[in-house]
Amino acid sequence: MQKQKASPKTALVFGGSRGIGAAAVERLAQEGFNVAFTFASSTNKATALADAIAANGVGSLAIQADSADPTAIRRAVGEATARFGNLDAVVVNAGILRPGTVDAVSLEDLDQMLNVNVRGVFLSIQASVPHLNDGARIVTIGSNVALHTRTPGFSVYQLTKTAVAGMVKGVALDLASRGITVNNIQPGPTETDMTAGSKEVLAEMNPLKRIGHPSEIAGLIAYLVGADARYVTGASITIDGGFTL
Protein backbone atom coordinates (compact mmCIF):
# COMPACT_ATOMS: atom_id res chain seq x y z
CA MET A 1 0.00 0.00 0.00
CA GLN A 2 1.36 3.42 -0.94
CA LYS A 3 2.05 5.67 2.04
CA GLN A 4 -0.16 8.76 2.01
CA LYS A 5 1.78 12.02 1.87
CA ALA A 6 1.31 14.22 4.95
CA SER A 7 -0.50 17.50 4.45
CA PRO A 8 1.71 20.61 4.64
CA LYS A 9 1.79 22.47 7.90
CA THR A 10 0.82 26.12 8.10
CA ALA A 11 2.81 29.02 9.55
CA LEU A 12 1.86 32.65 10.08
CA VAL A 13 4.63 35.23 10.43
CA PHE A 14 3.73 38.67 11.73
CA GLY A 15 6.15 41.16 10.17
CA GLY A 16 7.53 38.95 7.43
CA SER A 17 8.49 41.10 4.46
CA ARG A 18 11.98 42.22 5.48
CA GLY A 19 15.02 41.26 7.54
CA ILE A 20 14.55 38.53 10.12
CA GLY A 21 10.88 38.15 9.23
CA ALA A 22 11.59 37.53 5.55
CA ALA A 23 14.34 35.05 6.45
CA ALA A 24 11.86 33.26 8.70
CA VAL A 25 9.29 33.08 5.90
CA GLU A 26 11.87 31.66 3.50
CA ARG A 27 13.15 29.09 6.00
CA LEU A 28 9.68 27.93 7.02
CA ALA A 29 8.81 27.48 3.35
CA GLN A 30 11.98 25.39 2.93
CA GLU A 31 10.84 23.30 5.89
CA GLY A 32 7.61 22.54 4.01
CA PHE A 33 5.20 24.97 5.64
CA ASN A 34 2.58 26.90 3.75
CA VAL A 35 3.41 30.42 4.92
CA ALA A 36 1.22 33.46 5.38
CA PHE A 37 2.91 36.65 6.52
CA THR A 38 1.98 40.22 7.29
CA PHE A 39 3.63 43.43 6.21
CA ALA A 40 2.94 47.05 7.07
CA SER A 41 4.12 49.02 4.05
CA SER A 42 6.75 47.18 1.98
CA THR A 43 4.29 46.05 -0.67
CA ASN A 44 6.85 45.37 -3.41
CA LYS A 45 9.10 43.31 -1.13
CA ALA A 46 6.15 41.37 0.25
CA THR A 47 4.80 40.57 -3.20
CA ALA A 48 8.21 39.49 -4.46
CA LEU A 49 8.73 37.23 -1.45
CA ALA A 50 5.31 35.61 -1.79
CA ASP A 51 5.86 35.05 -5.52
CA ALA A 52 9.30 33.50 -4.94
CA ILE A 53 7.88 31.04 -2.42
CA ALA A 54 4.96 30.15 -4.66
CA ALA A 55 7.36 29.54 -7.55
CA ASN A 56 8.93 26.77 -5.47
CA GLY A 57 5.58 25.04 -5.07
CA VAL A 58 4.82 26.16 -1.52
CA GLY A 59 1.66 27.98 -0.51
CA SER A 60 2.22 31.66 0.31
CA LEU A 61 0.06 34.62 1.22
CA ALA A 62 1.13 38.22 1.88
CA ILE A 63 -1.31 40.18 4.05
CA GLN A 64 -1.05 43.91 4.64
CA ALA A 65 -1.69 44.49 8.34
CA ASP A 66 -0.40 46.96 10.92
CA SER A 67 0.62 45.16 14.12
CA ALA A 68 -0.52 48.17 16.13
CA ASP A 69 -4.10 47.66 14.87
CA PRO A 70 -6.08 44.92 16.69
CA THR A 71 -8.62 44.70 13.88
CA ALA A 72 -5.89 44.21 11.30
CA ILE A 73 -4.28 41.50 13.43
CA ARG A 74 -7.54 39.54 13.68
CA ARG A 75 -8.18 40.00 9.96
CA ALA A 76 -4.71 38.66 9.14
CA VAL A 77 -5.32 35.52 11.18
CA GLY A 78 -8.69 35.10 9.47
CA GLU A 79 -7.20 35.44 5.99
CA ALA A 80 -4.35 33.04 6.74
CA THR A 81 -6.59 30.33 8.16
CA ALA A 82 -9.20 30.78 5.43
CA ARG A 83 -6.49 30.03 2.87
CA PHE A 84 -4.48 27.32 4.62
CA GLY A 85 -6.48 26.05 7.61
CA ASN A 86 -5.44 25.94 11.25
CA LEU A 87 -1.98 27.06 12.27
CA ASP A 88 0.97 24.91 13.29
CA ALA A 89 3.44 27.75 13.88
CA VAL A 90 3.15 31.45 14.64
CA VAL A 91 6.15 33.76 14.56
CA VAL A 92 5.65 37.26 15.94
CA ASN A 93 8.43 39.39 14.53
CA ALA A 94 6.82 42.80 14.14
CA GLY A 95 8.64 45.48 16.10
CA ILE A 96 9.85 49.07 15.92
CA LEU A 97 12.60 51.15 17.49
CA ARG A 98 12.30 54.85 18.26
CA PRO A 99 15.47 55.69 20.24
CA GLY A 100 15.57 58.52 22.72
CA THR A 101 16.78 59.21 26.24
CA VAL A 102 14.19 59.22 29.01
CA ASP A 103 13.93 63.02 28.98
CA ALA A 104 13.41 63.16 25.21
CA VAL A 105 11.03 60.29 24.33
CA SER A 106 7.76 61.70 23.04
CA LEU A 107 4.43 60.33 24.18
CA GLU A 108 3.73 59.37 20.57
CA ASP A 109 6.92 57.31 20.30
CA LEU A 110 6.30 55.72 23.69
CA ASP A 111 2.77 54.69 22.74
CA GLN A 112 3.84 53.43 19.31
CA MET A 113 6.57 51.18 20.70
CA LEU A 114 4.31 49.83 23.42
CA ASN A 115 1.48 49.27 20.93
CA VAL A 116 3.58 47.36 18.40
CA ASN A 117 6.26 45.71 20.54
CA VAL A 118 4.13 44.62 23.49
CA ARG A 119 0.40 44.96 22.87
CA GLY A 120 0.77 43.87 19.25
CA VAL A 121 2.71 40.76 20.26
CA PHE A 122 0.12 39.80 22.85
CA LEU A 123 -2.81 40.44 20.51
CA SER A 124 -1.17 38.49 17.68
CA ILE A 125 -0.81 35.48 19.94
CA GLN A 126 -4.30 35.93 21.40
CA ALA A 127 -5.91 36.15 17.95
CA SER A 128 -4.02 33.04 16.79
CA VAL A 129 -4.80 30.77 19.76
CA PRO A 130 -8.32 29.67 18.67
CA HIS A 131 -6.83 28.62 15.31
CA LEU A 132 -3.79 26.74 16.61
CA ASN A 133 -3.57 22.99 16.25
CA ASP A 134 -2.66 21.14 19.45
CA GLY A 135 1.11 20.81 19.58
CA ALA A 136 1.63 24.03 17.63
CA ARG A 137 4.56 26.39 18.22
CA ILE A 138 4.68 30.11 18.97
CA VAL A 139 7.94 32.04 18.61
CA THR A 140 8.39 35.71 19.45
CA ILE A 141 11.33 37.78 18.27
CA GLY A 142 12.59 39.89 21.12
CA SER A 143 16.07 41.38 21.48
CA ASN A 144 19.21 40.91 23.51
CA VAL A 145 18.64 44.43 24.85
CA ALA A 146 16.31 42.68 27.31
CA LEU A 147 19.60 41.68 28.98
CA HIS A 148 21.89 44.63 28.27
CA THR A 149 21.82 47.72 26.04
CA ARG A 150 25.31 49.26 26.40
CA THR A 151 23.92 52.45 24.83
CA PRO A 152 21.84 55.32 26.21
CA GLY A 153 18.53 56.05 24.52
CA PHE A 154 17.07 52.55 24.53
CA SER A 155 15.06 52.56 27.75
CA VAL A 156 11.65 52.17 26.12
CA TYR A 157 12.87 49.61 23.61
CA GLN A 158 14.47 47.64 26.46
CA LEU A 159 11.23 47.90 28.41
CA THR A 160 9.25 46.39 25.53
CA LYS A 161 11.66 43.53 24.88
CA THR A 162 11.90 42.68 28.58
CA ALA A 163 8.11 42.61 28.67
CA VAL A 164 8.02 40.09 25.81
CA ALA A 165 10.50 37.83 27.60
CA GLY A 166 8.19 37.80 30.61
CA MET A 167 5.06 37.44 28.54
CA VAL A 168 6.12 34.17 26.93
CA LYS A 169 6.52 32.52 30.33
CA GLY A 170 2.89 33.16 31.25
CA VAL A 171 1.54 32.30 27.81
CA ALA A 172 3.57 29.07 27.81
CA LEU A 173 1.80 28.03 31.01
CA ASP A 174 -1.59 29.02 29.59
CA LEU A 175 -1.13 26.79 26.53
CA ALA A 176 0.89 23.90 27.97
CA SER A 177 -2.17 21.68 28.39
CA ARG A 178 -2.57 21.65 24.60
CA GLY A 179 1.07 20.78 23.99
CA ILE A 180 1.67 24.22 22.46
CA THR A 181 5.13 25.61 23.11
CA VAL A 182 5.89 29.34 23.41
CA ASN A 183 9.43 30.66 23.18
CA ASN A 184 11.27 33.93 22.68
CA ILE A 185 14.37 34.55 20.57
CA GLN A 186 16.61 37.46 21.59
CA PRO A 187 18.85 38.39 18.63
CA GLY A 188 21.79 40.68 18.94
CA PRO A 189 22.80 43.11 16.18
CA THR A 190 21.72 41.57 12.89
CA GLU A 191 22.00 42.69 9.27
CA THR A 192 18.65 44.45 8.91
CA ASP A 193 17.39 47.95 8.20
CA MET A 194 17.74 48.69 11.91
CA THR A 195 21.53 48.26 11.80
CA ALA A 196 22.15 49.96 8.45
CA GLY A 197 25.02 52.39 8.79
CA SER A 198 26.35 50.94 12.05
CA LYS A 199 27.43 47.42 11.12
CA GLU A 200 31.17 48.08 11.47
CA VAL A 201 30.83 49.68 14.89
CA LEU A 202 28.55 46.91 16.16
CA ALA A 203 30.86 44.24 14.77
CA GLU A 204 33.81 45.70 16.61
CA MET A 205 31.84 45.57 19.89
CA ASN A 206 31.11 41.87 19.41
CA PRO A 207 33.50 39.12 20.56
CA LEU A 208 33.06 37.38 17.19
CA LYS A 209 33.81 40.66 15.39
CA ARG A 210 30.74 40.46 13.20
CA ILE A 211 27.00 40.87 13.43
CA GLY A 212 24.41 38.22 12.77
CA HIS A 213 22.66 37.30 9.55
CA PRO A 214 18.87 36.94 9.38
CA SER A 215 19.27 33.37 8.15
CA GLU A 216 20.97 32.46 11.44
CA ILE A 217 17.98 33.71 13.41
CA ALA A 218 15.70 31.84 11.01
CA GLY A 219 17.66 28.67 11.72
CA LEU A 220 16.83 28.98 15.41
CA ILE A 221 13.18 29.59 14.53
CA ALA A 222 13.24 26.40 12.44
CA TYR A 223 14.56 24.47 15.43
CA LEU A 224 11.90 25.84 17.80
CA VAL A 225 9.05 24.91 15.45
CA GLY A 226 10.56 21.51 14.66
CA ALA A 227 10.18 18.09 16.23
CA ASP A 228 13.37 18.32 18.33
CA ALA A 229 12.08 21.30 20.35
CA ARG A 230 8.90 19.76 21.75
CA TYR A 231 10.33 19.97 25.30
CA VAL A 232 11.38 23.63 25.05
CA THR A 233 8.82 26.17 26.27
CA GLY A 234 8.76 29.45 28.14
CA ALA A 235 12.40 30.07 27.22
CA SER A 236 14.18 33.19 26.02
CA ILE A 237 17.14 32.16 23.90
CA THR A 238 19.80 34.78 23.16
CA ILE A 239 21.63 34.58 19.83
CA ASP A 240 24.10 37.48 19.65
CA GLY A 241 27.61 36.19 19.10
CA GLY A 242 28.50 36.83 22.72
CA PHE A 243 27.49 40.50 22.57
CA THR A 244 25.96 40.41 26.05
CA LEU A 245 28.65 38.30 27.75
Side-chain angles (χ1 to χ4, degrees):
M1 181 181 294
Q2 187 176 9
K3 187 176 181 180
Q4 189 173 7
K5 187 177 181 180
S7 299
K9 292 185 176 182
T10 296
L12 172 59
V13 179
F14 289 93
S17 65
R18 300 180 298 169
I20 292 172
V25 170
E26 292 172 342
R27 181 59 184 266
L28 290 168
Q30 291 171 10
E31 298 291 326
F33 286 81
N34 290 326
V35 186
F37 64 94
T38 70
F39 66 98
S41 58
S42 303
T43 304
N44 291 339
K45 289 183 178 180
T47 301
L49 178 59
D51 289 346
I53 292 171
N56 290 324
V58 179
S60 65
L61 177 64
I63 306 166
Q64 188 162 18
D66 183 349
S67 287
D69 182 349
T71 301
I73 290 171
R74 291 191 295 270
R75 176 177 51 78
V77 174
E79 290 186 23
T81 54
R83 174 71 68 88
F84 299 124
N86 278 354
L87 305 171
D88 300 287
V90 173
V91 179
V92 188
N93 173 64
I96 59 171
L97 168 62
R98 301 286 185 268
T101 56
V102 65
D103 56 319
V105 174
S106 69
L107 181 60
E108 180 183 4
D109 284 347
L110 172 64
D111 286 344
Q112 193 170 16
M113 280 190 279
L114 289 171
N115 286 343
V116 174
N117 296 2
V118 182
R119 190 182 73 163
V121 173
F122 184 87
L123 293 178
S124 296
I125 295 172
Q126 186 182 60
S128 301
V129 165
H131 305 279
L132 290 173
N133 288 320
D134 289 351
R137 314 299 171 82
I138 297 172
V139 180
T140 62
I141 307 300
S143 172
N144 71 339
V145 303
L147 303 173
H148 189 38
T149 63
R150 293 193 179 189
T151 307
F154 284 78
S155 59
V156 178
Y157 189 67
Q158 184 174 31
L159 161 67
T160 64
K161 296 306 182 179
T162 304
V164 170
M167 183 192 308
V168 298
K169 294 179 181 294
V171 178
L173 289 173
D174 289 344
L175 300 179
S177 63
R178 294 178 55 192
I180 296 170
T181 66
V182 187
N183 292 290
N184 178 46
I185 294 175
Q186 299 183 153
T190 305
E191 291 183 31
T192 66
D193 294 346
M194 195 175 289
T195 58
S198 59
K199 289 191 293 185
E200 291 77 12
V201 173
L202 292 168
E204 187 59 32
M205 295 169 65
N206 197 308
L208 293 182
K209 301 305 177 185
R210 71 176 180 90
I211 65 174
H213 191 274
S215 65
E216 294 173 305
I217 315 304
L220 183 51
I221 293 170
Y223 164 71
L224 288 174
V225 303
D228 291 336
R230 290 176 295 176
Y231 200 52
V232 182
T233 195
S236 284
I237 302 171
T238 301
I239 174 171
D240 69 355
F243 199 87
T244 48
L245 293 177

